């Protein structure tokens, strides 16, 4: 393709050097605003205020308050990821395989596109308006069915309330990702299994689920990271009354709690490690699950 | 009663009648092809036999048992699909053993049967591979083995060769036929390729607009087509116009020449009719035998195909293609040459409309 | 068959309840400011609030700038990677997916550490610097969406032939990118752009931690201090998200129509 006949190494030919200018801004941008900041956190987690190498910061993570914050975060992320996958899968299966009218499928996909992006502060407001003390559903239940939601111990500012709110963007994300995968299941696979004597259940256990498995795992990891990093929703919903890892870090950065930036590094580092581990597990499982592709 | 008995089968999708009154009996061990253009209903009949579609009316019986309402997974039918449809997450061995595993057979029995099937299709070395690692021809052979492994009563093949290269197609169709003969399994083969249908089948069913136009051996279908559609769809055909002078006595007028066929003909006396003739029955020049029609014409096209030379001659009433064999010491005739062609009376097919 | 359909309807109806009730609650609550009657009082108050006008306008402007910056970074990269550096593809894709894996709060924490007043590049020290930092931060957040939509767009056109055709007519790189490539992936760029807009407009964490008074922090402040206005704000935010997604659908459909007619 290169027109010059000079026998320089390909990368040094004038045309190719010009091409490098095309991608250089991206790499400079990514280095300055994505990679360096992250590396700074990682390195900072292993240094003390004097710049010496230490594991002291990570040790502070084991203090009961921070440990419990991480634990709640993990529980919350895992629970909403698993439930998001489950319910999202059911809805996606209903609209792809359930014989529902086609326009309904398109409407649900469009709505999922909106809802998966309707996260953060407004979402929290919507749930407060719905399930808060004076919320729409709370009142509805009291006036129509005589059920006192808050009397039974429910509170929107709680683990359960937060999980319910997170599911509002977790489920649609799952629907968006898994619908194409479900549509990729070929009708002939099902028919071949049937003609070989398999029941619907056997087809799902032996063919459909193993084929979907990599996509399911990938979405699970993505939903976990998605929930784990969600700060705005939690802050707008609970203020800082529920102590989850990102809120603790938020307070740390703001300097509200104690002015120890290196503890902040450690918390941030631990968050990276957790999402990285989630994604690492996903990649590993995916490779195992996808032996049949490569 | 036939082993596989399809009785007055009908299928409509909404207002569209895809299969109209289809009746056919297939004997045990017989290989029957459904031949027809796409949309003729052949695949729908097959899918109703397999249990993937429910007939609007009619009945299907296998070995005397009515299976019309039976779900597909209880029919003991083996099915091979056009696009292989191997389970991508299972190895070749696991694919072949799928039906046995589902039936709850023990591991040793499954392994033994899978080994037999692999040997049958000649892929014993590839048992551990995944489908994506196989060529199309290999995948389709595995699909065949998978369908046969649980010893089905009937084997259904839905255009199994149309996704493959021409060369593999020929070798695989011979292999399918060999395996089918060895096992003696009752088989329905759906195809739109007349060569496949003629070369493989004991009987061919030519389907057209949801109806079986003709059922017969490949020899009958080719040489005695019952309808104009069958004649045109199967093989190459010349159609020329003629006048029906006397239907009962079998007298026609062809290119101004009166011809006495001495058999009663379909159609109405005095009408224009179509005569059909296969290229290989037309001779260049005058035939010696007395029972031949001789027509004068001009050569308009010459196609040298190697062993065969196809020549097109314009005669009164239309164009006639004819095939002659290549002879090294005689070059093909040139375009524009006036010639005579002759056809035996018995090779002139008078078609019902 | 009917059993399956019944279960499907059940799943869709239950899902529909879960997803529609909060919307109903939000709308209902936003209109209950006046006792005993439905009114748009909360909306009127919010829209008339100078703080709202100022923060909302600021966020809209910032979102638009983010989109421009994103296009400038992503389109040439995706183009050159496809055309000239297929080997870089895995690396570039990995980088563009990182913002989905690294929590945003961690990224902004890194900014504060690297670009604080005592660093070589003290961006957080000045008003302009902080805004630039926020802009680049948002471009980082939008990277996964922007890159994926542009790359998908490039896949559907034959960029190699288009480039060679343009070159043979004497066009330079800048001209090829702006006149030939960009119009052809315009719809994909737009869908990335609307997605970016939806993400940036109400973003809270970056803005709050960089001490920028944009729409996100304004909403949180309202949430802590008012009762009915937050719901009105949520309705507005939801409408914006809907508009963005609706526009994506509209443009995608329009482009399908125009290619079908070609």
């Amino acid at each position: 393709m290169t027109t010059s006949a000079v026998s320089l190494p390909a990368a040094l030919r004038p045309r190719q050097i010009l091409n490098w200018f095309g991608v250089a801004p991206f790499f400079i941008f990514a280095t300055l605003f994505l990679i360096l900041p992250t590396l700074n956190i990682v390195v900072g987690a292993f240094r003390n205020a004097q710049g010496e190498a230490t594991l002291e910061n990570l040790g502070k993570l084991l203090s009961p308050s921070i440990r419990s914050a991480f634990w709640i975060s993990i529980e919350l992320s895992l629970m909403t990821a698993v439930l998001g996958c489950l319910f999202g899968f059911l809805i996606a299966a209903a609209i792809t395989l359930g014989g529902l009218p086609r326009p309904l499928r398109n409407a649900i996909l469009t709505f999922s596109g909106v809802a998966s992006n309707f996260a953060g502060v407004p979402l929290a407001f919507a749930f407060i308006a719905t399930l808060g003390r004076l919320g729409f559903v709370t009142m509805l239940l009291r006036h129509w069915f005589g059920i006192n939601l808050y009397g039974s111990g429910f509170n929107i500012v709680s683990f359960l309330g937060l999980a319910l709110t997170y599911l509002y963007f977790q489920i649609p994300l799952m629907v968006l990702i898994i619908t194409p995968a479900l549509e990729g299941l070929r009708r002939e696979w099902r028919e071949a299994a049937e003609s070989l004597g398999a029941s619907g259940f056997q087809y799902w256990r032996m063919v459909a689920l193993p084929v979907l498995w990599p996509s399911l795992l990938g979405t699970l990891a993505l939903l976990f990271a998605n929930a784990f990093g969600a700060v705005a929703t939690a802050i707008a919903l609970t203020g800082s009354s529920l102590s989850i890892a990102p809120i603790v870090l938020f307070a740390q950065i703001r300097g509200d709690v104690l002015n120890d930036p290196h503890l902040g590094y450690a918390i941030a580092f631990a968050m990276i490690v957790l999402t990285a581990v989630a994604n690492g597990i996903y990649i590993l499982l995916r490779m195992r699950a996808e032996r049949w592709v490569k | 009663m036939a082993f596989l008995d399809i009785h007055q089968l009908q299928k409509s999708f909404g207002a569209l009648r895809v299969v109209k009154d289809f009746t056919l009996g297939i004997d045990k061990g017989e290989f029957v092809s459904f031949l027809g253009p796409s949309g003729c209903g052949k695949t729908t009949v097959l899918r109703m036999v397999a249990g993937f579609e429910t007939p609007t009316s009619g009945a299907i019986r296998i070995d005397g048992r009515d299976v019309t309402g039976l779900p597909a997974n209880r029919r003991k039918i083996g099915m091979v699909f056009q696009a292989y449809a191997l389970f991508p997450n299972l190895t070749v061995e696991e694919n072949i053993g799928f039906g046995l595993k589902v039936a709850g057979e023990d591991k040793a029995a499954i392994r033994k049967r899978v080994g037999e099937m692999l040997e049958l299709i000649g892929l014993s070395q590839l048992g551990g591979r995944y489908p994506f690692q196989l060529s199309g021809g290999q995948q389709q052979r595995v699909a065949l083995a998978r369908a046969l492994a649980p010893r089905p009563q009937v084997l259904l093949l839905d255009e199994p060769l149309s996704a493959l290269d021409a060369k593999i197609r020929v070798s695989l169709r011979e292999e399918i036929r060999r395996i089918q003969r060895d096992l003696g399994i009752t088989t329905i083969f759906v195809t739109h390729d007349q060569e496949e249908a003629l070369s493989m089948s004991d009987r061919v069913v030519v389907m057209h607009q949801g109806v079986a136009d003709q059922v017969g051996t490949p020899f009958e279908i080719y040489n005695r087509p019952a309808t104009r559609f069958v004649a045109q769809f199967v093989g190459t055909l010349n159609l020329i116009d003629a006048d029906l002078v006397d239907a009962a006595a079998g007298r026609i007028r062809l290119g101004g020449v009166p011809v006495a066929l001495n058999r009663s003909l379909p159609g109405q006396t005095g009408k224009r009719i179509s005569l059909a003739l296969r290229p290989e029955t037309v001779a260049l020049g005058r035939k010696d035998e007395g029972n031949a029609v001789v027509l004068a014409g001009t050569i308009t096209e010459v196609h040298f195909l190697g062993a065969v030379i196809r020549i097109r001659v314009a005669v009164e009433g239309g164009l006639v293609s004819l095939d002659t064999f290549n002879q090294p010491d005689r070059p093909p005739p040139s375009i524009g040459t006036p010639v005579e062609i002759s056809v035996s009376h018995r090779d002139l097919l008078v078609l019902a409309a | 068959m009917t059993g399956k359909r019944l279960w499907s309807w059940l799943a869709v109806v239950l899902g529909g309840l879960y997803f529609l009730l909060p919307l109903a609650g939000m709308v209902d609550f936003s209109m209950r400011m006046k006792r005993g009657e439905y009114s748009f009082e909360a909306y009127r108050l919010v829209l008339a609030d100078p703080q709202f006008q100022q923060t909302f306008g600021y966020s809209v402007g910032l979102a638009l700038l983010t989109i421009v910056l994103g296009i400038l970074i992503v389109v040439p990269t995706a183009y050159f990677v496809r055309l000239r550096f297929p080997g870089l593809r895995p690396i570039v894709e990995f980088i563009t997916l990182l913002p989905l894996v690294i929590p945003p709060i961690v990224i902004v924490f890194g900014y504060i550490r690297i670009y604080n007043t005592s660093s070589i590049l003290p961006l957080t020290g000045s008003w302009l610097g902080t805004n630039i930092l926020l802009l680049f931060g948002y471009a980082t957040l939008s990277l996964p969406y922007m890159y994926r939509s542009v790359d998908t767009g490039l896949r559907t056109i034959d960029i190699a032939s288009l480039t060679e055709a343009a070159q043979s007519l004497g066009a330079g790189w800048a001209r090829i990118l702006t006149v030939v490539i960009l119009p052809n992936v315009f719809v994909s760029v737009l869908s990335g752009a609307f997605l970016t807009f939806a993400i940036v407009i109400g973003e809270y964490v970056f803005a709050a931690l960089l001490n920028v008074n944009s729409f996100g922090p304004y909403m949180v402040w309202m949430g802590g201090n008012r009762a009915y206005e937050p719901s009105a704000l949520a309705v507005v935010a939801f409408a914006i998200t809907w508009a963005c997604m609706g526009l994506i659908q509209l443009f995608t459909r329009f482009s399908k129509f125009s290619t079908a007619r070609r």
Side-chain angles (χ1 to χ4, degrees):
Chain A
M1 172 61 230
T2 320
T3 44
S4 83
V6 196
S7 61
L8 283 167
L12 293 180
R13 282 180 208 146
R15 170 70 45 84
Q16 197 69 349
I17 288 173
L18 198 76
N19 292 337
W20 280 105
F21 276 105
V23 289
F26 171 80
F27 284 104
I28 294 170
F29 164 76
T31 309
L32 280 181
F33 295 99
L34 185 58
I35 295 166
L36 277 185
T38 312
L39 278 183
N40 179 271
I41 300 291
V42 173
V43 174
F46 294 94
R47 288 219 180 123
N48 61 18
Q50 286 71 47
E52 296 154 355
T54 176
L55 288 175
E56 203 182 311
N57 301 322
L58 297 186
K60 288 180 198 157
L61 289 177
L62 296 176
S63 75
S65 65
I66 292 179
R67 220 171 49 194
S68 89
F70 267 100
W71 192 234
I72 295 174
S73 260
I74 292 170
E75 273 183 331
L76 182 66
S77 309
L78 207 59
M79 185 175 137
T80 60
V82 169
L83 290 181
C85 274
L86 184 68
F87 293 134
F89 184 85
L90 289 180
I91 291 174
I95 60 174
T96 50
L97 311 168
L100 298 181
R102 185 99 183 153
L104 189 67
R105 168 196 172 277
N106 296 337
I108 287 176
L109 282 184
T110 308
F111 181 81
S112 298
V114 178
S116 64
N117 284 297
F118 184 59
V121 185
L123 178 64
F125 291 167
F127 267 84
I128 292 171
T130 308
L131 285 167
R133 254 172 220 290
L134 296 172
F136 184 62
V137 169
T138 316
M139 299 310 244
L140 219 68
L141 287 176
R142 186 184 303 164
H143 293 319
W144 289 10
F145 302 99
I147 301 171
N148 186 349
L149 202 56
Y150 275 72
S152 65
F154 175 83
N155 191 340
I156 190 71
V157 187
S158 68
F159 182 87
L160 184 63
L162 207 52
L164 265 177
T165 312
Y166 277 19
L167 281 176
Y168 202 88
F169 55 80
Q170 298 280 62
I171 294 173
L173 196 56
M174 175 69 177
V175 171
L176 283 183
I177 297 177
I178 210 69
T179 298
L182 279 170
E183 281 171 348
L185 289 177
R186 304 221 333 251
R187 189 183 68 175
E188 288 94 337
W189 291 339
R190 189 187 190 110
E191 291 178 349
E194 269 179 36
S195 73
L196 290 167
S199 64
F201 176 73
Q202 281 170 321
Y203 160 71
W204 273 99
R205 184 169 60 81
M206 295 164 77
V207 181
L209 279 180
V211 168
L212 291 174
W213 197 228
S215 317
L216 288 172
L217 284 175
T219 320
L220 194 67
L222 185 69
L223 293 194
F224 181 86
N226 199 26
F228 202 78
V231 192
T233 316
I235 288 180
L237 195 69
T238 67
S240 46
S241 65
L242 194 73
S243 186
I244 60 173
I247 289 188
V248 171
L249 178 59
F250 189 87
Q252 225 4 266
I253 299 171
R254 273 258 168 112
D256 291 355
V257 181
L258 34 116
N259 240 331
D260 182 357
H262 288 271
L263 178 58
Y265 283 141
I267 297 173
F269 174 70
M271 287 180 69
I272 298 176
V273 168
L274 275 168
T275 51
V277 164
N279 280 277
I281 292 174
Y282 153 60
I283 290 168
L284 220 88
L285 289 175
R286 179 169 191 141
M287 278 189 325
R288 270 181 54 89
E290 272 191 346
R291 275 169 312 176
W292 44 273
V293 194
K294 201 142 227 167
Chain B
M1 193 199 272
F3 181 70
L4 170 58
D5 189 33
I6 304 172
H7 187 66
Q8 295 185 339
L9 210 56
Q10 300 211 26
K11 178 69 182 174
S12 305
F13 293 109
L16 192 69
R17 286 176 68 203
V18 182
V19 176
K20 307 162 192 162
D21 196 18
F22 185 94
T23 297
L24 180 72
I26 300 176
D27 290 330
K28 196 168 172 65
E30 203 181 3
F31 190 117
V32 174
S33 289
F34 291 179
L35 174 66
S38 60
C40 71
K42 56 189 192 301
T43 297
T44 310
V45 173
L46 192 81
R47 290 174 60 79
M48 286 192 281
V49 174
F52 302 141
E53 307 280 0
T54 317
T56 309
S57 67
I60 301 165
R61 274 184 286 273
I62 300 176
D63 203 7
R65 184 174 67 138
D66 190 328
V67 299
T68 317
L70 214 58
N73 55 12
R74 286 170 55 200
R75 288 196 184 190
K76 298 188 121 191
I77 276 178
M79 177 106 182
V80 175
F81 298 84
Q82 178 175 351
Y84 324 136
L86 293 179
F87 305 129
N89 58 317
L90 302 179
T91 61
V92 168
E93 277 167 352
E94 290 165 339
N95 262 288
I96 297 175
F98 187 92
L100 304 167
K101 194 173 170 189
V102 160
E105 294 204 21
D106 65 83
K107 278 195 177 137
I110 294 177
R111 193 169 321 125
K112 181 163 168 291
R113 180 70 176 159
V114 169
E116 285 170 22
M117 297 315 295
L118 278 172
E119 202 157 313
L120 188 70
I121 57 168
L123 294 179
S124 296
Q125 312 300 316
L126 304 182
R129 297 248 184 120
Y130 284 97
F132 81 97
Q133 296 167 308
L134 303 180
S135 71
Q138 288 171 332
Q139 287 193 49
Q140 201 54 296
R141 276 189 279 172
V142 174
L144 182 67
R146 179 180 68 177
L148 291 171
R151 299 185 176 82
Q153 291 184 298
V154 177
L155 176 65
L156 306 178
L157 305 159
D158 187 6
E159 307 222 10
L161 303 174
S162 34
L164 300 170
D165 295 340
K167 219 171 214 172
I168 298 164
R169 215 180 297 174
V170 173
S171 71
L172 193 55
R173 82 182 183 212
E174 284 161 6
E175 196 169 344
I176 289 176
R177 181 60 170 157
R178 173 184 64 79
I179 291 170
Q180 187 268 338
R181 274 214 182 94
D182 286 356
L183 303 179
I185 184 167
T186 313
T187 302
I188 301 177
F189 180 93
V190 161
T191 183
H192 61 264
D193 184 319
Q194 41 124 345
E195 197 184 308
E196 277 173 13
L198 295 179
S199 67
M200 295 173 80
S201 320
D202 294 322
R203 277 195 298 160
V204 177
V205 178
V206 183
M207 287 192 67
H208 179 46
Q209 294 178 343
V211 179
D213 264 27
Q214 189 175 6
V215 182
T217 64
F219 187 83
E220 288 166 357
I221 296 280
Y222 187 81
N223 291 307
R224 295 277 168 260
T227 67
R228 192 191 180 100
F229 173 79
V230 175
Q232 278 181 311
F233 193 74
V234 181
T236 314
L237 199 70
N238 294 300
L239 286 176
I240 49 178
D241 292 336
D243 295 308
L244 190 54
V245 179
D246 186 340
R251 291 215 309 273
I252 59 173
R253 179 178 288 273
L254 175 58
V257 186
V259 180
L261 294 178
N262 296 328
R263 53 188 151 105
S264 73
L265 302 171
Q268 224 183 317
T269 299
K271 291 272 179 181
R272 296 286 282 177
I273 55 165
S274 286
L275 288 179
L277 30 149
R278 299 283 183 204
E280 66 270 23
T281 63
V282 183
L284 196 57
R286 199 175 271 269
K287 269 190 185 170
D288 291 337
E289 57 182 291
N291 259 348
V293 190
V294 178
L295 299 169
T298 314
I299 294 181
T300 57
E301 283 175 50
V302 177
H303 298 285
F304 184 73
L305 306 173
V308 170
I309 304 166
R310 176 155 291 186
I311 296 168
R312 191 162 284 193
V313 179
V315 296
E316 195 183 326
L319 283 171
V320 175
S321 289
L322 62 96
D323 291 348
T324 63
F325 283 109
N326 172 45
Q327 284 169 302
D329 53 350
R330 197 194 294 169
S334 47
I335 293 170
T337 318
V339 287
E340 283 183 321
I341 58 171
S342 48
V343 193
S344 296
H345 285 177
R346 65 183 149 83
D347 294 328
L348 281 174
L349 309 172
V350 180
L351 300 172
Chain C
M1 189 66 206
T2 37
K4 200 167 74 177
R5 193 171 289 179
L6 194 75
W7 282 109
S8 304
W9 275 113
L10 191 71
V12 169
V13 167
L14 285 181
L17 270 182
Y18 170 74
F19 282 101
L20 294 179
L21 276 178
L23 302 183
M26 170 177 90
V27 172
D28 172 77
F29 209 72
S30 72
M31 295 173 71
R32 276 202 287 174
M33 194 159 193
K34 281 188 179 166
R35 214 164 266 284
E37 58 164 322
Y38 277 122
S39 72
F40 290 100
E41 186 65 12
Y43 293 90
R44 197 186 60 73
L45 282 178
V46 162
L47 293 178
D49 182 357
Q51 275 275 64
F52 167 81
Q53 293 162 4
Q54 191 242 317
T55 57
F56 189 73
Y58 172 85
S59 283
V60 168
L62 197 61
L64 295 178
L65 284 177
T66 306
I67 289 165
V68 172
L69 181 65
I71 291 173
L72 285 180
I73 292 171
V74 165
V75 172
T77 309
Y79 169 76
F80 279 106
V81 164
R82 272 207 171 263
L83 197 62
R84 294 280 182 267
F85 306 109
L88 285 182
R89 206 179 156 72
I91 304 172
V92 172
E93 269 182 6
F94 177 74
I95 292 176
T96 57
L97 287 176
L98 276 181
L100 290 182
V101 177
I102 305 171
I105 188 170
V106 173
I107 298 176
V108 71
F109 187 29
Y111 287 3
I112 292 171
R113 286 294 146 196
I114 291 192
Y115 303 111
N116 62 23
T117 39
S118 55
S119 71
I120 331 165
L121 204 61
L123 287 176
T124 57
S126 65
W127 180 85
L128 185 67
T130 306
N131 281 300
I132 289 174
L133 197 55
L134 192 56
L135 175 64
F136 277 90
Y138 284 167
T140 309
L141 288 187
S142 73
L143 201 56
Y145 309 99
M146 211 59 180
Y147 186 84
R148 215 176 326 159
S149 32
V150 171
D151 198 51
T152 315
L154 285 176
R155 190 167 49 203
T156 58
I157 60 169
D158 184 0
I159 54 170
S161 306
L162 277 180
T163 303
E164 280 164 22
Q167 276 177 330
S168 72
L169 295 170
W173 283 120
R175 187 171 277 261
I176 292 176
L177 274 175
T178 51
V179 180
V180 180
I181 300 300
L182 199 56
N184 273 296
V185 293
F186 188 63
V187 172
S188 328
V189 170
L190 272 186
S191 65
F194 287 124
L195 214 52
T196 303
F197 191 88
I199 293 165
V200 169
I201 192 76
E203 203 282 337
Y204 172 68
V205 176
F206 269 62
L209 290 178
L210 291 174
N211 285 317
V212 175
N213 196 14
S214 66
F215 190 49
Y218 169 74
M219 281 197 288
V220 170
W221 184 86
M222 289 292 267
N225 294 283
R226 300 285 159 81
Y228 298 99
E229 287 92 331
S231 284
L233 284 172
V235 171
V236 170
F238 188 73
I240 292 171
T241 315
W242 255 116
C244 288
M245 296 301 137
L247 285 171
I248 291 176
Q249 293 261 324
L250 198 74
F251 277 102
T252 318
R253 206 162 297 163
F254 175 73
S255 80
K256 270 183 200 142
F257 178 65
S258 64
T259 41
R261 269 165 43 120
R262 218 179 272 163

